[in-house]
Amino acid sequence: MRFLQRERTVVEEVLPGLDQCLTALSPAELEAADSPASSCFATPVVPGSWCPPSTAAAVRTC
């Protein structure tokens, strides 16, 4: 059993590669002032992927 498996699956669907990128860093690297963790979030995300389709925001790029 993996800790937070369902949550990790959702993260992988929304931000592919983020979990793998963050787990490759040590805790010390994650907590450092000049942490490379922010580069893990540099993966392009499809515009509007954070907008629920039932909202007016879905018709524009979020």
Side-chain angles (χ1 to χ4, degrees):
M1 176 195 265
R2 262 186 85 188
F3 182 67
L4 296 173
Q5 181 61 47
R6 184 174 17 171
E7 289 79 0
R8 288 173 181 251
T9 300
V10 171
V11 168
E12 187 60 32
E13 290 174 6
V14 176
L15 297 170
L18 178 66
D19 187 46
Q20 183 180 4
C21 182
L22 292 174
T23 56
L25 300 172
S26 71
E29 289 174 307
L30 291 170
E31 295 293 327
D34 59 345
S35 175
S38 61
S39 66
C40 294
F41 293 92
T43 306
V45 175
V46 177
S49 62
W50 294 101
C51 298
S54 62
T55 66
V59 297
R60 64 178 170 75
T61 302
C62 291

